[in-house]
Amino acid sequence: MSAPNKSYDPVEVEALKPEEIDRAKSEALDAVAAADSLEALREVKAAHAGDRSPLALANREIGALPPHAKAEAGKRVGQARGAVNKALAARQEQLEHERDERVLVEEAVDVTLPYDRVTPGARHPLTTLSERIEDIFVAMGYEVAEGPEAETEWFNFDALNLGPDHPARSMQDTFFVEAGKQAAGEDSGVVLRTHTSPVQIRSMLDREPPLYVICPGRVFRSDELDATHTPVFNQVELLAVDEGLTMADLKGTLDHMVAELFGEGVHTRLRPNYFPFTEPSAEMDMVCYKCRGASVGDPDNPCRTCSSEGWIELGGCGMVNPRVLTACGVDPQKYSGFAFGFGIERMLMFRHNVEDMRDMVEGDVRFTRPFGMEI
């Protein structure tokens, strides 16, 4: 059997040569000094002090040396690794100190502020817009009328020429209210109003023509809450009953309203439609208040507000159906009337580029505060 290789020189092992150990140590110290963040320092630590680092791999080579050669090689590698670990600890302490100093400046809290300070509030924009619409029509001589939110079917449907089989009376669109005891399967006859038109009926029953009223208020429908629908929303309707009123009067009133809300030059158009409570009936559109119709047929300048159609749909309108006048005791041979209605939430979305209707009902002050305290 051969004797142990006592003449083996560890300097001849590449990874354990003094110059290799010094080079690995120097590279590690330079990388530690160059690390400008704790994240960068973690990467340096993994590269120069981890299990796969050059000094760690050199340390593994020591085990293959003869016993008398291990001490010198181990001392050399150990001193190098110790210097690297010391530099890492010092650099980490320095970077943590810099981080803490920066946090103290960036996240400083002035504890001298009054603890009971009340932040400025804001009126809900729906309230502000509703009152602005009211002011427009009050200035024209209209009266603001109100009515109950829980209505009988007669006021909500029958008086408005909505027959017993009209789909709007179904549970898909209407919330029926249980009132006292009724037979199984029998409706109470009381609903949460689906529009503010019942206020128009009550106004015609309570007042003698000529009649000019505007009816804002909450209405209720069986809709899911999403970006463009809500089961509880605000609506405003207008009713004018007088001798000799025509569609021309309706058109002029609509033009004045949109000009007051969106600026001079904005006007409306009427498209034929059908509603049981008006005859003739129309959908009312207003010219796009952003592009004023200039984006139509111009692919180089599209308009996101109107989708380059030039017009924005607002709501329904028309001349009051003679049957509705008769139901309220108004002589259709002597008087005529016009009416229109639209959702205030939809108008708010147009005026202020609100994209999600849920923002209006969730009560987050970050939504209402930018609108301020307009009075």
Side-chain angles (χ1 to χ4, degrees):
M1 178 180 294
S2 60
N5 184 12
K6 296 182 179 181
S7 63
Y8 180 81
D9 187 356
V11 176
E12 295 179 359
V13 178
E14 186 68 25
L16 294 175
K17 289 182 179 181
E19 58 269 23
E20 288 298 321
I21 299 299
D22 292 341
R23 185 184 61 80
K25 173 184 171 182
S26 178
E27 290 180 355
L29 294 178
D30 291 343
V32 170
D36 57 358
S37 66
L38 291 172
E39 181 65 28
L41 187 64
R42 281 193 289 270
E43 296 178 1
V44 170
K45 185 175 182 180
H48 295 278
D51 293 339
R52 305 297 298 174
S53 64
L55 290 176
L57 295 176
N59 191 62
R60 294 178 186 177
E61 295 288 341
I62 297 174
L65 299 177
H68 72 277
K70 291 181 179 180
E72 183 181 352
K75 181 179 178 180
R76 186 184 304 123
V77 174
Q79 288 176 345
R81 298 183 76 184
V84 172
N85 288 330
K86 184 177 179 180
L88 283 169
R91 185 57 177 162
Q92 180 168 347
E93 182 179 357
Q94 181 182 4
L95 290 173
E96 288 178 347
H97 178 73
E98 293 175 358
R99 178 200 61 191
D100 295 342
E101 290 292 331
R102 185 170 60 253
V103 168
L104 288 175
V105 174
E106 295 176 352
E107 301 181 11
V109 177
D110 188 353
V111 295
T112 64
L113 290 174
Y115 72 92
D116 59 346
R117 183 181 62 170
V118 179
T119 58
R123 303 185 72 202
H124 198 285
L126 287 175
T127 301
T128 304
L129 181 57
S130 179
E131 292 180 356
R132 173 171 292 199
I133 295 171
E134 292 174 13
D135 291 341
I136 293 173
F137 288 101
V138 168
M140 296 171 62
Y142 284 75
E143 177 185 356
V144 178
E146 297 180 345
E149 295 179 351
E151 277 287 8
T152 64
E153 288 189 81
W154 189 87
F155 281 104
N156 198 77
F157 296 122
D158 296 322
L160 292 164
N161 199 36
L162 291 163
D165 297 327
H166 197 280
R169 301 174 78 125
S170 69
M171 293 295 291
Q172 295 179 355
D173 295 313
T174 307
F175 290 108
F176 283 83
V177 180
E178 292 186 4
K181 295 182 178 179
Q182 64 260 12
E186 181 180 342
D187 292 333
S188 65
V190 179
V191 300
L192 295 179
R193 64 185 184 187
T194 58
H195 43 197
T196 55
S197 299
V199 182
Q200 300 180 6
I201 302 300
R202 290 179 177 273
S203 298
M204 286 190 283
L205 291 173
D206 295 339
R207 300 168 175 82
E208 292 292 331
L211 175 67
Y212 294 87
V213 295
I214 183 173
C215 314
R218 291 189 303 177
V219 298
F220 309 83
R221 295 182 187 176
S222 300
D223 287 331
E224 295 291 335
L225 179 60
D226 57 30
T228 56
H229 298 86
T230 174
V232 182
F233 59 97
N234 292 269
Q235 191 180 56
V236 60
E237 297 191 25
L238 176 141
L239 172 68
V241 179
D242 205 343
E243 296 185 37
L245 293 181
T246 66
M247 290 286 284
D249 299 301
L250 169 61
K251 181 68 164 55
T253 303
L254 294 176
D255 285 343
H256 177 75
M257 178 192 71
V258 297
E260 288 292 316
L261 289 174
F262 294 95
E264 292 296 329
V266 179
H267 56 277
T268 63
R269 73 175 182 183
L270 302 180
R271 292 181 289 108
N273 207 320
Y274 167 76
F275 302 108
F277 31 82
T278 52
E279 180 58 40
S281 303
E283 286 283 355
M284 57 175 175
D285 303 331
M286 72 173 181
V287 70
C288 178
Y289 57 91
K290 287 290 186 182
C291 70
R292 304 299 175 98
S295 64
V296 179
D298 187 0
D300 296 329
N301 297 289
C303 178
R304 295 179 58 186
T305 302
C306 67
S307 300
S308 297
E309 295 180 359
W311 297 91
I312 299 175
E313 180 181 333
L314 286 184
C317 63
M319 301 302 294
V320 180
N321 194 309
R323 292 188 176 185
V324 176
L325 295 175
T326 301
C328 298
V330 177
D331 184 2
Q333 300 297 324
K334 182 178 181 181
Y335 295 102
S336 60
F338 62 79
F340 68 80
F342 56 85
I344 299 179
E345 282 85 353
R346 184 174 175 82
M347 185 69 74
L348 181 67
M349 296 177 81
F350 291 151
R351 279 174 53 86
H352 298 285
N353 295 320
V354 178
E355 297 181 354
D356 197 325
M357 196 173 290
R358 287 169 291 197
D359 292 335
M360 305 180 195
V361 300
E362 290 178 346
D364 193 329
V365 295
R366 291 174 296 180
F367 173 75
T368 58
R369 192 173 293 157
F371 291 92
M373 283 293 294
E374 182 177 342
I375 300 177

